[in-house]
């Protein structure tokens, strides 16, 4: 296995995790217990409270003009994160902790999403408190959109040619 030579992260609202132990993820019961991490390029998708439902999508080459108009409108943004309006206060008042993890035991799980997994326990190298989460997203040119409901956007994306997207914690989306 190749040794990962760049930073990997895990985000939590818990400030004092000293060791990450492999566990079975609720929506991945078919997998062995693992520790999950994300690369720096995709880490912004976790700059919100853990259970905050959100849809993140990226402008890529080859999209039709119709798709670009529909999902990107009059913006030059490459990446957009859409969140339900009711989560604004929680995002504004949450402190997250970014755990920097050593890459030695991790292997790539999903290149498009930037996910890595390790079947070994992992001790964080650095813990960084993060607040002012919306400002952090804006600083890295993520366009943040708020909507009363994610349901119409989810259906539109699933029925589109968009390929680089993530639908996170949708089970917590409002009805």
């Amino acid at each position: 296995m190749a040794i990962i030579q760049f930073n990997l992260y895990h985000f939590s609202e818990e400030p004092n995790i000293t060791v990450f132990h492999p566990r079975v993820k609720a929506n991945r019961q078919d997998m062995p217990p693992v520790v999950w991490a994300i690369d720096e390029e995709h880490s912004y998708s976790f700059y919100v409270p853990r259970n905050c439902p959100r849809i993140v999508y990226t402008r890529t080459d080859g999209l039709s003009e119709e798709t670009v108009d529909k999902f990107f409108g009059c913006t030059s943004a490459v990446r957009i994160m859409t969140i339900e309006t009711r989560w604004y206060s929680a995002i504004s008042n949450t402190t997250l902790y970014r755990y920097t993890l050593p890459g030695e035991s991790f292997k790539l799980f999903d290149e498009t999403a930037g996910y890595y997994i390790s079947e070994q326990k992992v001790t964080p190298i650095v813990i960084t408190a993060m607040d002012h989460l919306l400002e952090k997203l804006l600083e890295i040119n993520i366009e943040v959109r708020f909507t009363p409901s994610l349901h119409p956007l989810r259906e539109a994306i699933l029925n589109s040619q968009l390929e680089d997207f993530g639908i996170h914690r949708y089970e917590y989306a409002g009805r």
Side-chain angles (χ1 to χ4, degrees):
M1 172 178 11
I3 295 179
I4 307 300
Q5 298 293 321
F6 49 85
N7 289 334
L8 294 175
Y9 302 104
H10 187 96
F11 292 84
S12 177
E13 292 171 49
E14 296 179 40
N16 54 2
I17 301 172
T18 56
V19 175
F20 289 91
H21 295 278
R23 63 181 177 84
V24 175
K25 193 172 178 187
N27 65 342
R28 301 239 188 219
Q29 296 287 317
D30 58 325
M31 291 180 58
V34 295
V35 174
W36 289 85
I38 192 159
D39 63 20
E40 187 159 9
E41 178 184 354
H42 299 90
S43 65
Y44 70 90
S45 63
F46 290 89
Y47 286 18
V48 294
R50 177 177 176 81
N51 290 330
C52 176
R54 62 216 179 263
I55 298 176
V56 180
Y57 55 97
T58 302
R59 182 190 309 247
T60 56
D61 292 335
L63 294 176
S64 69
E65 186 175 326
E66 177 185 351
T67 298
V68 171
D69 286 346
K70 184 174 188 174
F71 294 101
F72 295 91
C74 297
T75 183
S76 62
V78 173
R79 293 187 170 126
I80 296 174
M81 179 185 291
T82 304
I83 303 164
E84 289 185 331
T85 309
R86 66 190 179 92
W87 281 87
Y88 179 83
S89 181
I91 295 167
S92 298
N93 295 309
T94 295
T95 298
L96 288 180
Y97 298 89
R98 183 181 67 192
Y99 291 84
T100 304
L101 306 177
E104 290 85 15
S105 67
F106 283 90
K107 63 182 178 183
L108 181 63
F109 178 78
D110 182 330
E111 185 174 10
T112 300
Y115 291 140
Y116 289 76
I117 56 173
S118 173
E119 294 182 11
Q120 300 175 21
K121 69 179 183 177
V122 179
T123 302
I125 302 168
V126 177
I127 304 169
T128 306
M130 296 176 60
D131 52 12
H132 306 290
L133 301 172
L134 291 172
E135 288 86 352
K136 287 189 177 1
L137 287 165
L138 298 175
E139 286 170 6
I140 57 172
N141 293 319
I142 304 301
E143 183 168 313
V144 181
R145 296 179 178 178
F146 285 92
T147 184
S149 172
L150 289 175
H151 297 284
L153 178 59
R154 178 182 181 268
E155 292 309 310
I157 285 177
L158 292 177
N159 292 299
S160 76
Q161 75 170 139
L162 283 176
E163 294 179 357
D164 190 348
F165 66 89
I167 301 172
H168 303 273
R169 298 294 181 163
Y170 190 71
E171 65 271 25
Y172 296 99
R175 291 284 160 206

